[in-house]
Amino acid sequence: MDSVAQLTPETQQRVQELRRLLQQASYDYYVLDAPTIEDSVYDQLYRELQTIEANYPELITPDSPTQRVGERPASHFTSVKHNIPLYSLENAFGNADLATWEQRWRKVAPDVTEFEYVCELKIDGNALALTYENGVLVRGATRGDGTTGEEITQNVRAIRSVPLRLNLDNPPPVVEVRGEAFLSLDSFEQINRDREKAGESLFANPRNAAAGTLRQLDAKIVAQRRLDFFAYTLHVPGELESQWQALELLREMGFRVNPEREKCADLQAVQDYCDRWSVDRTQLRYMTDGVVIKLNSFALQTRLGFTQKFPRWAIALKYPAEEAPTILENISVNVGRTGAITPVAELKPVQLAGTTVSRATLHNRDRIAELDCRIGDTVIVRKAGEIIPEVVRVLTELRPENARLFEMPTHCPECHEPVVKPENEAVTRCINASCPAILRGALTHWASRDALDINGVGEKLVAQLVDQNLVNSVAGLYDLTIENLLTLERMGKKSAEKIVKAIQDSKSQPWSRVLYGLGIRHVGSVNAQTLTQAFPSVEELAAATPEQISAVPGFGSEIAQSVSQWFQNHGNQELIDRLRQAEIQLKGEVVPVAQVETAISGKTFVITGTLPTLKRDEAQALIQKAGGKVTDSVSKKTDYLVAGEKAGSKLEKAQTLGVSILSEADLVQLIQG
């Protein structure tokens, strides 16, 4: 067919009309939730457009409704630098924090007497940055670390509430839009139903499901999962004067803007809004975990500027972790790698913060007594740090007559040896070094990413190695042969060869990782690196007195005693000898410290979460080379917290103490000056 010869002005006009009708219909349906045409009519118009574009490919444009989902899956995602950084917000946890925040910004602008706030619900999803050129979507990217994200344009195009073309007659050359991609609760539940039928693992919560969806290489899967999008930030040349104006313009451009936004004349109105939505948010069809409060005036925002990490003109009020009542059906115990025996509540499954919870920690015997907790009780469960479920109180008024007291076991449920409870500790422990549970934990920890990083040696393999008595200590891993591994279930020769090679390759891991892998109490990966700087060989550390260890910056007497006692133990001395025979690295080099004064000389850092490109030990080495110090815990003496993805309680504590928060990019910039 000679499509060029047959193309007529009438056909071109019809294409434009079809696109206009379909774009308006999508806007009405996905943004306004007010459908204006029947699905059958939409399908008929869509098929007509598809047919014309098939006959005249030269008419296809990126903003055509037929081009939302690409035909070919992406092969990978690439990193992109944001044109404008996506800043984090300072967190508030109550009205007192909001009042303190207002006092702080008013000190910067004491002459300001007239102002107003804009309150928007904080959507529990994934931040996106969208770029439009001449009104057409050209790039969609994840937040990443705020400076660099992943380019996922193909997947963003599959989100129906993201316009492919802005609804503007004369769009600016470049428009930057920020917002939150999320899954409605209905969509989330449907996805998990489908995955359950297919025998696939379920998503933990809507936010995780949305994140996993955005990283799909096939945009068709993204389209099937029905992601949604709320826009909340607009960067556009022009005369915009306020956040409220920006939200209204976003809506006119064709974006969904959260309808529950509100202008507030003063802080009392803000607090009333936050208090109201702390209750009403349970009726929403999507997850929200707080409220974002911004000063409305852009001129005032510009005047206030930023701290090293946060804008001074905005803050996020975080709601307390969600709580829910359920029945305590039983109490079991778990034996950890240190021998700690932890009671675990077995619960009647309950929905909590977007996940189904059936188990929760009870911490220790003293905590059970404090709660007056009995099997059969109705209990209140909360997610500590929105991650770990825990029982926080018991509704004793609902206690049934047959409720049973729980008693901690006198013998370890794994090895059946007697357990002990040291006088100065709340934890009951198994002290049998040969306990299978302790050995499994020690082996799994030794092979973990931050320790020896042995690919293929995970919990399932470790369980088989222990059950078949193939390994009796971490040193025993280095005696394993391919023939040993072939005796295990579902183990092929190629897999066995890879595992043996990974174990042997781990011999080159540095002394700091080895020390962390030993699993000494209170010695995390950061403390291990600090200790190996102070004691560059295992012989020097083993000979150190508690006083010498506690003299290391960031170390107290408790850690010092723990390290010293570990090396005095005869069994541990034998383990070190076996590791030495296996040629494990038990000696390292001192990281040279900057000889000249730098921006971070003498400053104390804590690192938390997963950084975008640097491993934690690499970040620590950078800090130490520049003259800084790294410790494991946040305190008033901490100067900076370097926070990556999934930063938890350390981030919250740092924000409470007013510690400066850095991203990886901030850290590198600070070091480089």
Side-chain angles (χ1 to χ4, degrees), residues 588-600:
E589 297 181 0
V590 177
V591 176
V593 175
Q595 299 300 309
V596 296
E597 193 74 13
T598 71
I600 68 170

Side-chain angles (χ1 to χ4, degrees), residues 328-615:
L328 175 60
E329 295 183 330
N330 198 10
I331 298 177
S332 59
V333 294
N334 177 63
V335 185
R337 66 179 176 86
T338 63
I341 296 179
T342 304
V344 178
E346 305 289 345
L347 307 167
K348 183 178 180 179
V350 62
Q351 282 291 311
L352 185 62
T355 65
T356 301
V357 173
S358 57
R359 305 178 89 230
T361 181
L362 285 165
H363 299 290
N364 51 56
R365 180 172 62 185
D366 292 349
R367 179 59 175 160
I368 291 176
E370 179 186 343
L371 289 168
D372 187 20
C373 194
R374 305 184 188 185
I375 297 168
D377 274 338
T378 298
V379 297
I380 300 297
V381 185
R382 179 179 65 197
K383 278 196 173 181
E386 298 185 357
I387 298 173
I388 304 169
E390 64 175 348
V391 175
V392 292
R393 63 183 183 277
V394 176
L395 303 181
T396 54
E397 64 272 20
L398 300 180
R399 174 169 290 161
E401 292 183 4
N402 60 348
R404 293 182 289 117
L405 288 168
F406 169 77
E407 294 184 5
M408 288 290 289
T410 58
H411 290 71
C412 173
E414 291 276 352
C415 67
H416 309 297
E417 291 292 318
V419 298
V420 300
K421 182 181 179 299
E423 289 185 10
N424 60 340
E425 294 186 19
V427 178
T428 301
R429 295 186 184 278
C430 172
I431 56 173
N432 174 21
S434 300
C435 175
I438 296 175
L439 179 56
R440 286 196 300 269
L443 291 169
T444 303
H445 177 70
W446 178 266
S448 64
R449 189 183 67 176
D450 289 341
L452 279 290
D453 194 17
I454 306 176
N455 189 35
V457 180
E459 291 182 1
K460 291 183 179 179
L461 178 66
V462 164
Q464 290 193 69
L465 294 175
V466 173
D467 290 346
Q468 297 196 24
N469 296 316
L470 290 176
V471 175
N472 60 12
S473 74
V474 295
L477 286 171
Y478 298 90
D479 298 327
L480 285 173
T481 65
I482 294 171
E483 289 71 25
N484 292 147
L485 294 177
L486 288 175
T487 64
L488 303 179
E489 291 181 11
R490 299 181 179 179
M491 180 63 69
K493 186 175 181 181
K494 286 187 177 179
S495 296
E497 290 172 348
K498 287 181 180 178
I499 290 170
V500 169
K501 183 179 185 302
I503 292 172
Q504 296 304 311
D505 287 348
S506 73
K507 292 180 179 181
S508 63
Q509 293 287 13
W511 162 222
S512 60
R513 283 176 171 261
V514 173
L515 179 58
Y516 172 63
L518 291 173
I520 301 172
R521 289 186 67 201
H522 307 305
V523 179
S525 59
V526 173
N527 276 345
Q529 292 187 41
T530 304
L531 276 175
T532 55
Q533 287 298 302
F535 305 98
S537 71
V538 69
E539 290 81 11
E540 291 173 86
L541 183 56
T545 65
E547 291 73 24
Q548 289 172 319
I549 297 172
S550 61
V552 176
F555 282 70
S557 60
E558 186 177 14
I559 302 177
Q561 287 290 343
S562 177
V563 174
S564 179
Q565 289 173 4
W566 192 94
F567 280 101
Q568 291 174 20
N569 180 275
H570 179 70
N572 293 334
Q573 293 170 359
E574 289 184 345
L575 172 60
I576 293 297
D577 287 339
R578 289 186 63 188
L579 292 174
R580 187 180 288 110
Q581 293 168 15
E583 300 181 341
I584 303 300
Q585 298 294 320
L586 299 172
K587 182 182 295 186
E589 297 181 0
V590 177
V591 176
V593 175
Q595 299 300 309
V596 296
E597 193 74 13
T598 71
I600 68 170
S601 294
K603 301 294 185 182
T604 301
F605 290 73
V606 173
I607 305 170
T608 187
T610 303
L611 301 179
T613 63
L614 294 174
K615 291 183 178 179

Side-chain angles (χ1 to χ4, degrees), residues 198-216:
E200 298 173 334
S201 60
L202 304 185
F203 284 118
N205 55 53
R207 178 175 52 192
N208 288 351
T213 300
L214 287 170
R215 300 202 79 258
Q216 288 289 325

